[in-house]
Amino acid sequence: MALSGSSDPLLQQEEGGSHSKETPFMLKAIQIALVVSLYWFVSITMVFLNKYLLDSPSLHLDTPLFVTFYQCAVTVVFCKGLSLLASCCPPGHLDFPSIRMDLKVSRSILPLSVIFIGMITFNNLCLKYVGVAFYNVGRSLTTVFNVILSYLLLKQTTSLYALIACGIIIGGFWLGIDQEGAEGTLSWAGIFFGILASLCVSLNAIYTKKVLPAVDGSIWRLTFYNNLNACVLFLPFMLLLGEFRTLYHFDKLGNPVFWGMMTLGGVFGFAIGYVTGLQIKFTSPLTHNVSGTAKACAQTVLAVGYYEETKSFLWWTSNMMVLGGSFAYTWVKGLEMKKTQVESIPKTDEKNETGV
């Protein structure tokens, strides 16, 4: 499954933060703290777990497509299982849409599924070749691609302040590359896959809105079909790249611990979609993006400590530039949205007064 990342469509949603006014402040604060903590735990754990599966010296398993394929298969099983469970439970006990296989729907979202495959594959390939500490910088250009593609595909312009924030991100990205090179840990393959992952994340966010009507606006149905299509499309690529042969000679293929870790990776891949929606529901899209930026900072610090790495001042500066630029961009877009909403209220009142 795809790693979580901030994107403009999240900021454009109007849901979230709509809780009952009767909810006590302390109870609401505890709920938000628990949900944010759950999001952080799932997201950070998933990154470390995927790093282990993709690049662990103890595994020696060079099959990134198979790891991604298996995680997609787990997500398909979970979606179908929860759908069946919801149909058996009394109404209101389990809120999950009914899911059934429809080839027409599957074909209609196939173009998005191709982008989805690129997104999750390049994410995992980037993580395979770069360290967890540098992972956030390696795929930090999603916001920049959001701006470029929104202009090219949607003809949406971006404010000067948002462009300045993008410039800070780009500066941090290049400084990070320079510092990784200076420390002798730079992987151009990782950088290349990180750029492709950022591009696919941005494309996925844009095209998801276009295909949602095909699945009746249900994110869970879209998740099911995307992962199902991915499972089918991965097979010829795995055969072409010789991953089946690699698996055949893998000495831990019959090890239950290995399959347990693989399945756990799939569970976390499924769970990240749920906890992301949960965080937006209990806070707001803007707060979710801010939380994601803070989580990336914590993830970087944890990775440096866990792997006992020593980083230079400029290396940390590159990370702070990327995180600061991402936060600034999210904040600017949030202020612009509020301004647009305020300006639209008088126009609505005018129409009501004139009877239009």
Side-chain angles (χ1 to χ4, degrees), residues 112-147:
L112 175 65
S113 297
V114 173
I115 296 172
F116 172 76
I117 289 172
M119 179 178 71
I120 57 179
T121 302
F122 294 136
N123 263 325
N124 278 349
L125 286 172
C126 175
L127 185 56
K128 175 180 174 63
Y129 289 104
V130 304
V132 176
F134 188 69
Y135 178 61
N136 178 60
V137 175
R139 51 181 297 276
S140 61
L141 297 184
T142 300
T143 301
V144 178
F145 281 121
N146 280 341
V147 171

PDB file of all heavy atoms in Angstrom, residues 112-147:
ATOM      1  N   LEU A 112      -6.102   4.582 -13.372  1.00  0.00           N
ATOM      2  CA  LEU A 112      -5.687   5.012 -12.034  1.00  0.00           C
ATOM      3  C   LEU A 112      -4.869   3.921 -11.359  1.00  0.00           C
ATOM      4  O   LEU A 112      -3.904   4.216 -10.646  1.00  0.00           O
ATOM      5  CB  LEU A 112      -6.913   5.356 -11.189  1.00  0.00           C
ATOM      6  CG  LEU A 112      -6.621   5.717  -9.722  1.00  0.00           C
ATOM      7  CD1 LEU A 112      -5.810   7.004  -9.634  1.00  0.00           C
ATOM      8  CD2 LEU A 112      -7.915   5.837  -8.921  1.00  0.00           C
ATOM      9  N   SER A 113      -5.240   2.665 -11.601  1.00  0.00           N
ATOM     10  CA  SER A 113      -4.516   1.550 -10.980  1.00  0.00           C
ATOM     11  C   SER A 113      -3.064   1.503 -11.445  1.00  0.00           C
ATOM     12  O   SER A 113      -2.171   1.135 -10.687  1.00  0.00           O
ATOM     13  CB  SER A 113      -5.210   0.223 -11.296  1.00  0.00           C
ATOM     14  OG  SER A 113      -6.507   0.180 -10.743  1.00  0.00           O
ATOM     15  N   VAL A 114      -2.829   1.872 -12.710  1.00  0.00           N
ATOM     16  CA  VAL A 114      -1.460   1.913 -13.228  1.00  0.00           C
ATOM     17  C   VAL A 114      -0.646   2.963 -12.460  1.00  0.00           C
ATOM     18  O   VAL A 114       0.503   2.726 -12.072  1.00  0.00           O
ATOM     19  CB  VAL A 114      -1.453   2.216 -14.735  1.00  0.00           C
ATOM     20  CG1 VAL A 114      -0.028   2.432 -15.244  1.00  0.00           C
ATOM     21  CG2 VAL A 114      -2.114   1.076 -15.507  1.00  0.00           C
ATOM     22  N   ILE A 115      -1.258   4.140 -12.227  1.00  0.00           N
ATOM     23  CA  ILE A 115      -0.592   5.184 -11.444  1.00  0.00           C
ATOM     24  C   ILE A 115      -0.386   4.716 -10.004  1.00  0.00           C
ATOM     25  O   ILE A 115       0.671   4.933  -9.402  1.00  0.00           O
ATOM     26  CB  ILE A 115      -1.429   6.486 -11.463  1.00  0.00           C
ATOM     27  CG1 ILE A 115      -1.523   7.030 -12.890  1.00  0.00           C
ATOM     28  CG2 ILE A 115      -0.819   7.539 -10.543  1.00  0.00           C
ATOM     29  CD1 ILE A 115      -2.477   8.201 -13.033  1.00  0.00           C
ATOM     30  N   PHE A 116      -1.388   4.038  -9.464  1.00  0.00           N
ATOM     31  CA  PHE A 116      -1.315   3.512  -8.096  1.00  0.00           C
ATOM     32  C   PHE A 116      -0.167   2.514  -7.959  1.00  0.00           C
ATOM     33  O   PHE A 116       0.592   2.548  -6.980  1.00  0.00           O
ATOM     34  CB  PHE A 116      -2.652   2.846  -7.744  1.00  0.00           C
ATOM     35  CG  PHE A 116      -2.654   2.106  -6.440  1.00  0.00           C
ATOM     36  CD1 PHE A 116      -2.718   2.788  -5.239  1.00  0.00           C
ATOM     37  CD2 PHE A 116      -2.602   0.717  -6.416  1.00  0.00           C
ATOM     38  CE1 PHE A 116      -2.733   2.111  -4.027  1.00  0.00           C
ATOM     39  CE2 PHE A 116      -2.611   0.028  -5.218  1.00  0.00           C
ATOM     40  CZ  PHE A 116      -2.677   0.724  -4.019  1.00  0.00           C
ATOM     41  N   ILE A 117      -0.024   1.639  -8.954  1.00  0.00           N
ATOM     42  CA  ILE A 117       1.080   0.667  -8.943  1.00  0.00           C
ATOM     43  C   ILE A 117       2.425   1.392  -8.949  1.00  0.00           C
ATOM     44  O   ILE A 117       3.347   1.036  -8.209  1.00  0.00           O
ATOM     45  CB  ILE A 117       0.979  -0.284 -10.148  1.00  0.00           C
ATOM     46  CG1 ILE A 117      -0.195  -1.238  -9.968  1.00  0.00           C
ATOM     47  CG2 ILE A 117       2.275  -1.079 -10.344  1.00  0.00           C
ATOM     48  CD1 ILE A 117      -0.490  -2.073 -11.200  1.00  0.00           C
ATOM     49  N   GLY A 118       2.541   2.406  -9.801  1.00  0.00           N
ATOM     50  CA  GLY A 118       3.774   3.190  -9.836  1.00  0.00           C
ATOM     51  C   GLY A 118       4.052   3.845  -8.497  1.00  0.00           C
ATOM     52  O   GLY A 118       5.197   3.849  -8.019  1.00  0.00           O
ATOM     53  N   MET A 119       3.006   4.355  -7.861  1.00  0.00           N
ATOM     54  CA  MET A 119       3.172   5.054  -6.583  1.00  0.00           C
ATOM     55  C   MET A 119       3.709   4.119  -5.497  1.00  0.00           C
ATOM     56  O   MET A 119       4.714   4.436  -4.845  1.00  0.00           O
ATOM     57  CB  MET A 119       1.821   5.633  -6.153  1.00  0.00           C
ATOM     58  CG  MET A 119       1.839   6.359  -4.824  1.00  0.00           C
ATOM     59  SD  MET A 119       0.218   7.060  -4.404  1.00  0.00           S
ATOM     60  CE  MET A 119      -0.707   5.560  -4.052  1.00  0.00           C
ATOM     61  N   ILE A 120       3.069   2.976  -5.300  1.00  0.00           N
ATOM     62  CA  ILE A 120       3.485   2.082  -4.220  1.00  0.00           C
ATOM     63  C   ILE A 120       4.806   1.380  -4.548  1.00  0.00           C
ATOM     64  O   ILE A 120       5.628   1.137  -3.666  1.00  0.00           O
ATOM     65  CB  ILE A 120       2.393   1.050  -3.889  1.00  0.00           C
ATOM     66  CG1 ILE A 120       2.008   0.221  -5.116  1.00  0.00           C
ATOM     67  CG2 ILE A 120       1.165   1.739  -3.317  1.00  0.00           C
ATOM     68  CD1 ILE A 120       0.952  -0.835  -4.826  1.00  0.00           C
ATOM     69  N   THR A 121       5.031   1.090  -5.845  1.00  0.00           N
ATOM     70  CA  THR A 121       6.280   0.426  -6.232  1.00  0.00           C
ATOM     71  C   THR A 121       7.472   1.354  -6.077  1.00  0.00           C
ATOM     72  O   THR A 121       8.500   0.982  -5.486  1.00  0.00           O
ATOM     73  CB  THR A 121       6.201  -0.078  -7.684  1.00  0.00           C
ATOM     74  OG1 THR A 121       5.103  -0.981  -7.812  1.00  0.00           O
ATOM     75  CG2 THR A 121       7.486  -0.796  -8.074  1.00  0.00           C
ATOM     76  N   PHE A 122       7.351   2.574  -6.594  1.00  0.00           N
ATOM     77  CA  PHE A 122       8.467   3.524  -6.506  1.00  0.00           C
ATOM     78  C   PHE A 122       8.702   3.963  -5.062  1.00  0.00           C
ATOM     79  O   PHE A 122       9.841   4.234  -4.676  1.00  0.00           O
ATOM     80  CB  PHE A 122       8.220   4.726  -7.412  1.00  0.00           C
ATOM     81  CG  PHE A 122       8.219   4.391  -8.875  1.00  0.00           C
ATOM     82  CD1 PHE A 122       7.250   4.918  -9.725  1.00  0.00           C
ATOM     83  CD2 PHE A 122       9.171   3.537  -9.408  1.00  0.00           C
ATOM     84  CE1 PHE A 122       7.249   4.597 -11.075  1.00  0.00           C
ATOM     85  CE2 PHE A 122       9.176   3.212 -10.760  1.00  0.00           C
ATOM     86  CZ  PHE A 122       8.208   3.742 -11.595  1.00  0.00           C
ATOM     87  N   ASN A 123       7.628   4.040  -4.259  1.00  0.00           N
ATOM     88  CA  ASN A 123       7.803   4.313  -2.830  1.00  0.00           C
ATOM     89  C   ASN A 123       8.683   3.258  -2.189  1.00  0.00           C
ATOM     90  O   ASN A 123       9.636   3.564  -1.458  1.00  0.00           O
ATOM     91  CB  ASN A 123       6.438   4.344  -2.126  1.00  0.00           C
ATOM     92  CG  ASN A 123       5.887   5.748  -1.964  1.00  0.00           C
ATOM     93  OD1 ASN A 123       6.632   6.693  -1.744  1.00  0.00           O
ATOM     94  ND2 ASN A 123       4.588   5.886  -2.070  1.00  0.00           N
ATOM     95  N   ASN A 124       8.357   1.992  -2.448  1.00  0.00           N
ATOM     96  CA  ASN A 124       9.121   0.897  -1.847  1.00  0.00           C
ATOM     97  C   ASN A 124      10.535   0.804  -2.406  1.00  0.00           C
ATOM     98  O   ASN A 124      11.487   0.500  -1.675  1.00  0.00           O
ATOM     99  CB  ASN A 124       8.388  -0.432  -2.058  1.00  0.00           C
ATOM    100  CG  ASN A 124       7.284  -0.653  -1.042  1.00  0.00           C
ATOM    101  OD1 ASN A 124       7.181   0.069  -0.056  1.00  0.00           O
ATOM    102  ND2 ASN A 124       6.433  -1.635  -1.280  1.00  0.00           N
ATOM    103  N   LEU A 125      10.698   1.083  -3.696  1.00  0.00           N
ATOM    104  CA  LEU A 125      12.037   1.056  -4.286  1.00  0.00           C
ATOM    105  C   LEU A 125      12.901   2.186  -3.730  1.00  0.00           C
ATOM    106  O   LEU A 125      14.099   2.008  -3.499  1.00  0.00           O
ATOM    107  CB  LEU A 125      11.955   1.143  -5.808  1.00  0.00           C
ATOM    108  CG  LEU A 125      11.474  -0.126  -6.524  1.00  0.00           C
ATOM    109  CD1 LEU A 125      11.242   0.149  -7.999  1.00  0.00           C
ATOM    110  CD2 LEU A 125      12.487  -1.255  -6.353  1.00  0.00           C
ATOM    111  N   CYS A 126      12.299   3.347  -3.524  1.00  0.00           N
ATOM    112  CA  CYS A 126      13.028   4.462  -2.904  1.00  0.00           C
ATOM    113  C   CYS A 126      13.486   4.070  -1.501  1.00  0.00           C
ATOM    114  O   CYS A 126      14.638   4.281  -1.125  1.00  0.00           O
ATOM    115  CB  CYS A 126      12.137   5.706  -2.849  1.00  0.00           C
ATOM    116  SG  CYS A 126      12.866   7.115  -1.973  1.00  0.00           S
ATOM    117  N   LEU A 127      12.562   3.452  -0.736  1.00  0.00           N
ATOM    118  CA  LEU A 127      12.895   3.033   0.629  1.00  0.00           C
ATOM    119  C   LEU A 127      13.956   1.938   0.633  1.00  0.00           C
ATOM    120  O   LEU A 127      14.763   1.855   1.560  1.00  0.00           O
ATOM    121  CB  LEU A 127      11.626   2.536   1.326  1.00  0.00           C
ATOM    122  CG  LEU A 127      11.723   2.169   2.809  1.00  0.00           C
ATOM    123  CD1 LEU A 127      12.250   3.349   3.622  1.00  0.00           C
ATOM    124  CD2 LEU A 127      10.376   1.706   3.331  1.00  0.00           C
ATOM    125  N   LYS A 128      13.986   1.118  -0.401  1.00  0.00           N
ATOM    126  CA  LYS A 128      14.982   0.043  -0.500  1.00  0.00           C
ATOM    127  C   LYS A 128      16.392   0.607  -0.647  1.00  0.00           C
ATOM    128  O   LYS A 128      17.353   0.089  -0.074  1.00  0.00           O
ATOM    129  CB  LYS A 128      14.649  -0.865  -1.689  1.00  0.00           C
ATOM    130  CG  LYS A 128      15.688  -1.958  -1.963  1.00  0.00           C
ATOM    131  CD  LYS A 128      15.271  -2.817  -3.153  1.00  0.00           C
ATOM    132  CE  LYS A 128      16.352  -3.811  -3.534  1.00  0.00           C
ATOM    133  NZ  LYS A 128      16.652  -4.782  -2.474  1.00  0.00           N
ATOM    134  N   TYR A 129      16.519   1.696  -1.414  1.00  0.00           N
ATOM    135  CA  TYR A 129      17.847   2.202  -1.757  1.00  0.00           C
ATOM    136  C   TYR A 129      18.326   3.365  -0.891  1.00  0.00           C
ATOM    137  O   TYR A 129      19.519   3.695  -0.919  1.00  0.00           O
ATOM    138  CB  TYR A 129      17.885   2.618  -3.227  1.00  0.00           C
ATOM    139  CG  TYR A 129      17.848   1.443  -4.173  1.00  0.00           C
ATOM    140  CD1 TYR A 129      16.685   1.115  -4.864  1.00  0.00           C
ATOM    141  CD2 TYR A 129      18.970   0.645  -4.364  1.00  0.00           C
ATOM    142  CE1 TYR A 129      16.649   0.030  -5.736  1.00  0.00           C
ATOM    143  CE2 TYR A 129      18.944  -0.446  -5.228  1.00  0.00           C
ATOM    144  CZ  TYR A 129      17.779  -0.748  -5.908  1.00  0.00           C
ATOM    145  OH  TYR A 129      17.748  -1.828  -6.756  1.00  0.00           O
ATOM    146  N   VAL A 130      17.419   4.012  -0.149  1.00  0.00           N
ATOM    147  CA  VAL A 130      17.854   5.095   0.745  1.00  0.00           C
ATOM    148  C   VAL A 130      17.533   4.703   2.184  1.00  0.00           C
ATOM    149  O   VAL A 130      16.706   3.834   2.431  1.00  0.00           O
ATOM    150  CB  VAL A 130      17.172   6.451   0.402  1.00  0.00           C
ATOM    151  CG1 VAL A 130      17.418   6.819  -1.038  1.00  0.00           C
ATOM    152  CG2 VAL A 130      15.674   6.413   0.709  1.00  0.00           C
ATOM    153  N   GLY A 131      18.175   5.353   3.121  1.00  0.00           N
ATOM    154  CA  GLY A 131      17.910   5.077   4.523  1.00  0.00           C
ATOM    155  C   GLY A 131      16.583   5.669   4.961  1.00  0.00           C
ATOM    156  O   GLY A 131      16.054   6.595   4.327  1.00  0.00           O
ATOM    157  N   VAL A 132      16.037   5.141   6.049  1.00  0.00           N
ATOM    158  CA  VAL A 132      14.772   5.663   6.576  1.00  0.00           C
ATOM    159  C   VAL A 132      14.915   7.134   6.954  1.00  0.00           C
ATOM    160  O   VAL A 132      13.989   7.924   6.767  1.00  0.00           O
ATOM    161  CB  VAL A 132      14.315   4.834   7.799  1.00  0.00           C
ATOM    162  CG1 VAL A 132      13.055   5.432   8.414  1.00  0.00           C
ATOM    163  CG2 VAL A 132      14.066   3.390   7.396  1.00  0.00           C
ATOM    164  N   ALA A 133      16.086   7.514   7.449  1.00  0.00           N
ATOM    165  CA  ALA A 133      16.313   8.901   7.856  1.00  0.00           C
ATOM    166  C   ALA A 133      16.216   9.859   6.680  1.00  0.00           C
ATOM    167  O   ALA A 133      15.728  10.991   6.815  1.00  0.00           O
ATOM    168  CB  ALA A 133      17.687   9.030   8.519  1.00  0.00           C
ATOM    169  N   PHE A 134      16.657   9.429   5.492  1.00  0.00           N
ATOM    170  CA  PHE A 134      16.641  10.297   4.310  1.00  0.00           C
ATOM    171  C   PHE A 134      15.376  10.098   3.469  1.00  0.00           C
ATOM    172  O   PHE A 134      15.142  10.836   2.527  1.00  0.00           O
ATOM    173  CB  PHE A 134      17.882  10.012   3.443  1.00  0.00           C
ATOM    174  CG  PHE A 134      18.065  10.966   2.299  1.00  0.00           C
ATOM    175  CD1 PHE A 134      18.398  12.283   2.535  1.00  0.00           C
ATOM    176  CD2 PHE A 134      17.916  10.551   0.982  1.00  0.00           C
ATOM    177  CE1 PHE A 134      18.573  13.173   1.479  1.00  0.00           C
ATOM    178  CE2 PHE A 134      18.096  11.415  -0.071  1.00  0.00           C
ATOM    179  CZ  PHE A 134      18.426  12.740   0.174  1.00  0.00           C
ATOM    180  N   TYR A 135      14.562   9.131   3.820  1.00  0.00           N
ATOM    181  CA  TYR A 135      13.394   8.767   3.025  1.00  0.00           C
ATOM    182  C   TYR A 135      12.447   9.943   2.830  1.00  0.00           C
ATOM    183  O   TYR A 135      11.918  10.158   1.733  1.00  0.00           O
ATOM    184  CB  TYR A 135      12.671   7.600   3.705  1.00  0.00           C
ATOM    185  CG  TYR A 135      11.411   7.145   3.029  1.00  0.00           C
ATOM    186  CD1 TYR A 135      11.420   6.653   1.731  1.00  0.00           C
ATOM    187  CD2 TYR A 135      10.196   7.174   3.707  1.00  0.00           C
ATOM    188  CE1 TYR A 135      10.259   6.217   1.123  1.00  0.00           C
ATOM    189  CE2 TYR A 135       9.035   6.733   3.104  1.00  0.00           C
ATOM    190  CZ  TYR A 135       9.069   6.255   1.815  1.00  0.00           C
ATOM    191  OH  TYR A 135       7.914   5.826   1.216  1.00  0.00           O
ATOM    192  N   ASN A 136      12.235  10.728   3.889  1.00  0.00           N
ATOM    193  CA  ASN A 136      11.327  11.869   3.788  1.00  0.00           C
ATOM    194  C   ASN A 136      11.822  12.902   2.786  1.00  0.00           C
ATOM    195  O   ASN A 136      11.035  13.472   2.014  1.00  0.00           O
ATOM    196  CB  ASN A 136      11.164  12.522   5.167  1.00  0.00           C
ATOM    197  CG  ASN A 136      10.270  13.741   5.123  1.00  0.00           C
ATOM    198  OD1 ASN A 136       9.116  13.672   4.757  1.00  0.00           O
ATOM    199  ND2 ASN A 136      10.835  14.888   5.501  1.00  0.00           N
ATOM    200  N   VAL A 137      13.141  13.142   2.769  1.00  0.00           N
ATOM    201  CA  VAL A 137      13.709  14.094   1.803  1.00  0.00           C
ATOM    202  C   VAL A 137      13.697  13.504   0.396  1.00  0.00           C
ATOM    203  O   VAL A 137      13.401  14.185  -0.578  1.00  0.00           O
ATOM    204  CB  VAL A 137      15.155  14.476   2.213  1.00  0.00           C
ATOM    205  CG1 VAL A 137      15.802  15.358   1.161  1.00  0.00           C
ATOM    206  CG2 VAL A 137      15.156  15.182   3.559  1.00  0.00           C
ATOM    207  N   GLY A 138      13.993  12.198   0.301  1.00  0.00           N
ATOM    208  CA  GLY A 138      14.064  11.547  -1.007  1.00  0.00           C
ATOM    209  C   GLY A 138      12.785  11.609  -1.796  1.00  0.00           C
ATOM    210  O   GLY A 138      12.816  11.629  -3.033  1.00  0.00           O
ATOM    211  N   ARG A 139      11.646  11.641  -1.115  1.00  0.00           N
ATOM    212  CA  ARG A 139      10.375  11.723  -1.815  1.00  0.00           C
ATOM    213  C   ARG A 139       9.581  12.958  -1.384  1.00  0.00           C
ATOM    214  O   ARG A 139       8.358  12.908  -1.191  1.00  0.00           O
ATOM    215  CB  ARG A 139       9.551  10.456  -1.569  1.00  0.00           C
ATOM    216  CG  ARG A 139       9.398  10.052  -0.136  1.00  0.00           C
ATOM    217  CD  ARG A 139       8.590   8.772   0.009  1.00  0.00           C
ATOM    218  NE  ARG A 139       7.238   8.925  -0.474  1.00  0.00           N
ATOM    219  CZ  ARG A 139       6.228   9.436   0.235  1.00  0.00           C
ATOM    220  NH1 ARG A 139       6.439   9.873   1.469  1.00  0.00           N
ATOM    221  NH2 ARG A 139       5.024   9.505  -0.277  1.00  0.00           N
ATOM    222  N   SER A 140      10.316  14.064  -1.266  1.00  0.00           N
ATOM    223  CA  SER A 140       9.714  15.294  -0.738  1.00  0.00           C
ATOM    224  C   SER A 140       9.113  16.196  -1.817  1.00  0.00           C
ATOM    225  O   SER A 140       8.548  17.237  -1.493  1.00  0.00           O
ATOM    226  CB  SER A 140      10.781  16.098   0.027  1.00  0.00           C
ATOM    227  OG  SER A 140      11.843  16.469  -0.849  1.00  0.00           O
ATOM    228  N   LEU A 141       9.217  15.803  -3.080  1.00  0.00           N
ATOM    229  CA  LEU A 141       8.784  16.692  -4.158  1.00  0.00           C
ATOM    230  C   LEU A 141       7.309  16.546  -4.512  1.00  0.00           C
ATOM    231  O   LEU A 141       6.852  17.110  -5.506  1.00  0.00           O
ATOM    232  CB  LEU A 141       9.638  16.452  -5.412  1.00  0.00           C
ATOM    233  CG  LEU A 141      11.135  16.752  -5.271  1.00  0.00           C
ATOM    234  CD1 LEU A 141      11.834  16.559  -6.602  1.00  0.00           C
ATOM    235  CD2 LEU A 141      11.365  18.178  -4.758  1.00  0.00           C
ATOM    236  N   THR A 142       6.547  15.799  -3.715  1.00  0.00           N
ATOM    237  CA  THR A 142       5.120  15.632  -3.996  1.00  0.00           C
ATOM    238  C   THR A 142       4.400  16.975  -4.052  1.00  0.00           C
ATOM    239  O   THR A 142       3.592  17.225  -4.959  1.00  0.00           O
ATOM    240  CB  THR A 142       4.465  14.744  -2.921  1.00  0.00           C
ATOM    241  OG1 THR A 142       5.081  13.461  -2.918  1.00  0.00           O
ATOM    242  CG2 THR A 142       2.980  14.575  -3.190  1.00  0.00           C
ATOM    243  N   THR A 143       4.685  17.850  -3.094  1.00  0.00           N
ATOM    244  CA  THR A 143       4.053  19.164  -3.065  1.00  0.00           C
ATOM    245  C   THR A 143       4.391  19.967  -4.316  1.00  0.00           C
ATOM    246  O   THR A 143       3.523  20.631  -4.903  1.00  0.00           O
ATOM    247  CB  THR A 143       4.496  19.942  -1.813  1.00  0.00           C
ATOM    248  OG1 THR A 143       4.134  19.197  -0.644  1.00  0.00           O
ATOM    249  CG2 THR A 143       3.858  21.309  -1.760  1.00  0.00           C
ATOM    250  N   VAL A 144       5.645  19.881  -4.747  1.00  0.00           N
ATOM    251  CA  VAL A 144       6.069  20.598  -5.959  1.00  0.00           C
ATOM    252  C   VAL A 144       5.333  20.065  -7.184  1.00  0.00           C
ATOM    253  O   VAL A 144       4.841  20.835  -8.017  1.00  0.00           O
ATOM    254  CB  VAL A 144       7.595  20.472  -6.150  1.00  0.00           C
ATOM    255  CG1 VAL A 144       8.034  21.167  -7.433  1.00  0.00           C
ATOM    256  CG2 VAL A 144       8.336  21.051  -4.947  1.00  0.00           C
ATOM    257  N   PHE A 145       5.213  18.748  -7.285  1.00  0.00           N
ATOM    258  CA  PHE A 145       4.472  18.156  -8.406  1.00  0.00           C
ATOM    259  C   PHE A 145       2.986  18.493  -8.324  1.00  0.00           C
ATOM    260  O   PHE A 145       2.318  18.619  -9.360  1.00  0.00           O
ATOM    261  CB  PHE A 145       4.679  16.643  -8.440  1.00  0.00           C
ATOM    262  CG  PHE A 145       5.986  16.230  -9.048  1.00  0.00           C
ATOM    263  CD1 PHE A 145       6.901  15.491  -8.310  1.00  0.00           C
ATOM    264  CD2 PHE A 145       6.315  16.567 -10.350  1.00  0.00           C
ATOM    265  CE1 PHE A 145       8.115  15.101  -8.857  1.00  0.00           C
ATOM    266  CE2 PHE A 145       7.532  16.192 -10.910  1.00  0.00           C
ATOM    267  CZ  PHE A 145       8.429  15.452 -10.168  1.00  0.00           C
ATOM    268  N   ASN A 146       2.441  18.637  -7.120  1.00  0.00           N
ATOM    269  CA  ASN A 146       1.045  19.064  -6.973  1.00  0.00           C
ATOM    270  C   ASN A 146       0.827  20.406  -7.671  1.00  0.00           C
ATOM    271  O   ASN A 146      -0.165  20.597  -8.389  1.00  0.00           O
ATOM    272  CB  ASN A 146       0.679  19.201  -5.494  1.00  0.00           C
ATOM    273  CG  ASN A 146       0.358  17.875  -4.846  1.00  0.00           C
ATOM    274  OD1 ASN A 146       0.055  16.889  -5.520  1.00  0.00           O
ATOM    275  ND2 ASN A 146       0.427  17.823  -3.527  1.00  0.00           N
ATOM    276  N   VAL A 147       1.750  21.330  -7.423  1.00  0.00           N
ATOM    277  CA  VAL A 147       1.640  22.667  -8.015  1.00  0.00           C
ATOM    278  C   VAL A 147       1.767  22.602  -9.539  1.00  0.00           C
ATOM    279  O   VAL A 147       0.969  23.189 -10.272  1.00  0.00           O
ATOM    280  CB  VAL A 147       2.717  23.600  -7.428  1.00  0.00           C
ATOM    281  CG1 VAL A 147       2.760  24.925  -8.175  1.00  0.00           C
ATOM    282  CG2 VAL A 147       2.457  23.823  -5.941  1.00  0.00           C
TER     283      VAL A 147
END
